[in-house]
Amino acid sequence: MPLDDILKAADAAMTRKRVGPVQGPLHVGVDLGTAYTVLIVLDAAMQPLAGAYQFAQVVRDGVVVDFMGAIELVRQLKADVEARLGVALASAASAYPPGVPLAEVRAVRYVLEGAGLDCTQLIDEPTAANALLGVQNGAVVDVGGGSTGIAVIENGQVLYTADEPTGGTHFTLVIAGAKGIPFEQAEALKLDPQAQPALFPLIKPVMEKVATIIQRHLADFQVDEITLVGGAVAFPGFAEVVADITGIPTRVPSRPLFVTPIGIAMLHED
C-alpha cells in the first residue's frame, strides 16, 4: 500500500469505533512524545486497525518527567483501543530520541510495563520512522514536541544519528508569549489551519533553528533528500524553510504525526 494510503488508514483508525473480529498477530507501537503520545495497532499485513493519541506533557526531550502520569496515559490509550478491538493487548514496541541516556531509555520500558504491556523492542525514533518510509539513501528527521532527531541512511542502513532540543513545543511557547495567552490556548491556535498563516512569521525563527540543527548534522554527508516526520512538521511552510537553509530537497508525508508510531508497530514482535 502506498505511504499516503497507509497514513490515511492510520488517521481513520484513530476514530474507528469498532473493529473486529480480529484474527492473526497484532503489531503494537507506543510513541511517548513530548507533546503527543500515540498508540497504534497494525494487523498481520501491517495495515492500521485502531489507535488513539492524546496531548500530554509527561515526557520532555525524551525524558519521562511524570512517570505515574505516563503510565496512566498509556493505560488509558490501551484500554480505549482494546475496547474497540475486542481483544487485550499484551505487548508493544516503543522508541526514544537518539542520544537519550540509557537510564531514560529504560524508563520508557518501565512505563509500558506499568501500563500492562510487555516492551518487546526499543528503537531510536528516526530508525523507527524509516521502517515505514523505506528511505534507502537520504536523511530522516523526526521533529517532535521537544527535540529534533536526525538519521542519515545509506543503502537502507542507518549510518549516523543525532538529537538536539527544539521542536513543536517551542512553537507553542513562542505563540503563547507573543499573544499573551496560556500554553494550552496557544497549542490549540497552532493547530488551527485558519490561524496558521498569521502565526508563520512568529514561529519561522524556530523553524530556522531546527533547519540549522539539521544542516549542521548533515554537513559531513552527501544527502540528496530530507524526509521530515513528527507532528511539528505538519505546520505549513516547514519543509520550505528546511530546504532553503540546507539546500537539500525536503518532503513531508501526509499526517506526519503517525509515521514514527506506525514504524514502531512494524518493528514490534510479539
Side-chain angles (χ1 to χ4, degrees):
M1 183 183 288
L3 176 61
D4 279 352
D5 289 347
I6 294 174
L7 292 169
K8 287 177 185 176
D11 202 16
M14 296 295 162
T15 56
R16 189 173 295 129
K17 295 191 177 186
R18 186 69 182 170
V19 184
V22 176
Q23 296 180 342
L26 298 177
H27 302 273
V28 186
V30 177
D31 188 2
L32 278 172
T34 297
Y36 287 89
T37 292
V38 183
L39 187 154
I40 192 160
V41 179
L42 311 180
D43 64 16
M46 300 297 182
Q47 301 306 306
L49 276 178
Y53 66 102
Q54 185 175 319
F55 179 84
Q57 295 186 293
V58 295
V59 174
R60 185 174 300 126
D61 301 339
V63 176
V64 178
V65 294
D66 181 358
F67 187 72
M68 296 309 297
I71 289 174
E72 182 57 28
L73 174 59
V74 175
R75 185 180 288 133
Q76 290 174 3
L77 296 177
K78 174 176 176 283
D80 176 12
V81 172
E82 286 175 334
R84 289 186 277 143
L85 284 172
V87 298
L89 302 178
S91 63
S94 194
Y96 55 90
V100 170
L102 181 59
E104 302 304 333
V105 175
R106 285 198 294 262
V108 173
R109 179 184 298 277
Y110 299 150
V111 167
L112 265 63
E113 290 174 349
L117 291 165
D118 181 30
C119 184
T120 61
Q121 180 91 305
L122 283 167
I123 319 105
D124 73 84
E125 290 168 351
T127 299
N130 201 45
L132 174 62
L133 296 170
V135 172
Q136 290 299 302
N137 294 284
V140 175
V141 179
D142 190 334
V143 185
S147 64
T148 295
I150 299 155
V152 177
I153 298 164
E154 185 175 296
N155 297 322
Q157 301 298 312
V158 175
L159 291 183
Y160 171 84
T161 62
D163 186 78
E164 288 196 31
T166 306
T169 298
H170 299 84
F171 293 3
T172 308
L173 290 169
V174 168
I175 295 166
K179 298 289 187 180
I181 58 178
F183 181 90
E184 293 76 12
Q185 187 178 343
E187 178 70 19
L189 192 64
K190 180 182 74 175
L191 300 177
D192 181 356
Q194 300 300 317
Q196 287 172 342
L199 295 175
F200 180 78
L202 292 177
I203 63 174
K204 186 179 179 184
V206 185
M207 293 181 181
E208 291 172 338
K209 181 180 178 183
V210 171
T212 301
I213 290 170
I214 297 168
Q215 181 187 46
R216 177 159 37 84
H217 283 285
L218 298 186
D220 294 333
F221 301 95
Q222 180 62 46
V223 173
D224 295 329
E225 184 179 60
I226 298 168
T227 303
L228 300 177
V229 301
V233 306
F235 199 101
F238 203 148
E240 289 77 7
V241 170
V242 172
D244 285 347
I245 287 180
T246 63
I248 300 170
T250 303
R251 67 171 180 137
V252 177
S254 66
R255 300 158 180 81
L257 175 64
F258 300 139
V259 172
T260 298
I262 293 172
I264 295 169
M266 292 175 70
L267 296 171
H268 167 239
E269 295 181 2
D270 201 346

